[in-house]
Amino acid sequence: MPVKDYSALAQFYSHLMKSIDYKKWANYIFEISRELKREEVSVLELAAGNANVSAHLAKKFSYILISDRSVEMLRQCQDLANSKVCFDMTEIPLKKKFDFAFSTFDSVNYLLTKEKFIKMLSEVHRVLNDDGIFTFDVSLEKNSLRYQKYLNRKGKYLGIKYRQQSKFDPKKRMHFNYFEITFADGSTVEEIHKQKIYEFEEYFRFIDESGFYVRKCVETFSWKDANRNSERAQFILKKK
Ligand SMILES: C[S@@+](CC[C@H](N)C(=O)[O-])C[C@H]1O[C@@H](n2cnc3c(N)ncnc32)[C@H](O)[C@@H]1O
């Protein structure tokens, strides 16, 4: 059955993320940007969802452009100082260049093929200034194994009932999140969120094929080097 109320659906997804400490996440992203050593920094956020991270960064940067491929998620954004644009991060329809680009919460794991991943890197490369920084986090196998235990849940929010099932397929290296959502009028939708859980080393190979190099790769929220047993790795890239 078609979804009747996308805005309720987007609010529902933001409810699911309510336990996330976005202030902490924003501070971490800000710390990464400080390497630019500049007063005025123009920022592009990719796959921003409803911009929970940028909401905490709006006062810290001179310009932030928020983007996501879902117009419904963008509609839920709090009013920020700058603009928002709906686009897919593998096809960035912009000419403007930025000093700093970032993406959070394993959004790049939604890029299901190597080709898509490298296309995303090349698009970000095109819109980044020569001395710019691009940072994103990735979810690794250990994170998938952990969350498939915890993200099996059901509940109710704004009259919407939901059931979530989280499953990692180690052979396909795919993580599936199944949602069954029942609206107040009894209509139901099923959504499957698919994420590719690439091997840690694969990211380095993808980046080698792009115009970037890995300046640092640390465990997200820390400055400790990441490895294949980390749950979440933070890539910090510069242009070659
Ligand atoms: C897990 S949510 C994270 C949202 C936000 N970054 C956060 O930290 O709350 C993943 C987001 O990625 C977006 N997304 C997935 N694939 C995308 C793509 N190819 N281009 C742009 N956005 C994408 C989805 O629409 C969704 O808003």
Side-chain angles (χ1 to χ4, degrees):
M1 187 170 286
V3 184
K4 290 182 181 159
D5 188 349
Y6 280 106
S7 111
L9 196 58
Q11 278 180 54
F12 158 72
Y13 283 128
S14 84
H15 165 72
L16 287 187
M17 298 196 209
K18 72 178 187 311
S19 57
I20 311 295
D21 188 346
Y22 279 108
K23 193 168 179 201
K24 174 178 163 194
W25 214 318
N27 285 339
Y28 183 66
I29 295 293
F30 182 66
E31 284 306 312
I32 295 173
S33 78
R34 280 158 72 105
E35 194 181 325
L36 286 165
K37 296 190 176 53
R38 231 182 263 169
E39 294 248 315
E40 303 249 301
V41 176
S42 58
V43 178
L44 171 64
E45 180 175 5
L46 299 162
N50 40 25
N52 286 319
V53 175
S54 279
H56 292 285
L57 292 174
K59 291 199 179 110
K60 299 193 180 204
F61 291 116
S62 54
Y63 179 87
I64 306 183
L65 180 66
I66 295 151
S67 69
D68 196 278
R69 73 173 173 192
S70 159
V71 76
E72 291 79 27
M73 292 299 276
L74 288 176
R75 275 202 192 112
Q76 298 301 314
C77 287
Q78 304 169 44
D79 256 349
L80 299 168
N82 308 119
S83 6
K84 45 189 179 182
V85 184
C86 185
F87 61 77
D88 189 303
M89 59 183 142
T90 63
E91 287 176 47
I92 303 181
L94 302 174
K95 285 194 180 142
K96 180 179 163 51
K97 297 220 177 205
F98 298 83
D99 302 310
F100 185 69
F102 75 94
S103 169
T104 55
F105 213 161
D106 49 60
S107 300
V108 298
N109 287 92
Y110 283 86
L111 300 170
L112 303 184
T113 63
K114 170 187 171 181
E115 290 69 29
K116 286 261 178 204
F117 203 95
I118 292 177
K119 181 87 194 318
M120 177 277 290
L121 290 173
S122 107
E123 285 290 273
V124 178
H125 190 272
R126 186 178 54 73
V127 297
L128 202 66
N129 284 323
D130 286 346
D131 61 347
I133 293 176
F134 175 35
T135 186
F136 57 85
D137 60 273
V138 301
S139 177
L140 296 169
E141 183 167 348
K142 194 167 170 193
N143 199 40
S144 275
L145 292 170
R146 181 166 163 199
Y147 279 96
Q148 72 171 354
K149 279 194 201 143
Y150 296 117
L151 288 182
N152 291 296
R153 54 186 175 175
K154 56 183 180 178
K156 202 172 174 189
Y157 178 67
L158 290 177
I160 299 177
K161 278 192 214 150
Y162 69 91
R163 190 185 286 272
Q164 178 180 6
Q165 239 198 319
S166 182
K167 233 182 179 117
F168 175 55
D169 180 334
K171 269 201 189 135
K172 293 188 180 145
R173 301 199 63 84
M174 290 288 292
H175 197 115
F176 301 97
N177 271 293
Y178 301 93
F179 292 95
E180 190 190 284
I181 301 154
T182 307
F183 289 89
D185 67 358
S187 60
T188 300
V189 280
E190 286 180 13
E191 291 218 341
I192 307 179
H193 292 203
K194 298 180 189 167
Q195 288 180 293
K196 181 82 177 173
I197 309 302
Y198 296 100
E199 300 266 9
F200 179 65
E201 295 77 9
E202 281 183 286
Y203 289 106
F204 290 85
R205 291 200 284 274
F206 300 163
I207 293 161
D208 267 354
E209 290 187 36
S210 78
F212 286 111
Y213 71 92
V214 180
R215 168 95 179 79
K216 283 184 200 140
C217 177
V218 290
E219 295 196 339
T220 305
F221 307 124
S222 84
W223 303 107
K224 184 180 157 212
D225 282 346
N227 61 57
R228 63 180 353 268
N229 297 314
S230 304
E231 289 188 5
R232 193 178 284 279
Q234 187 74 33
F235 282 84
I236 302 173
L237 310 186
K238 298 268 293 173
K239 282 185 163 189
K240 280 176 190 159

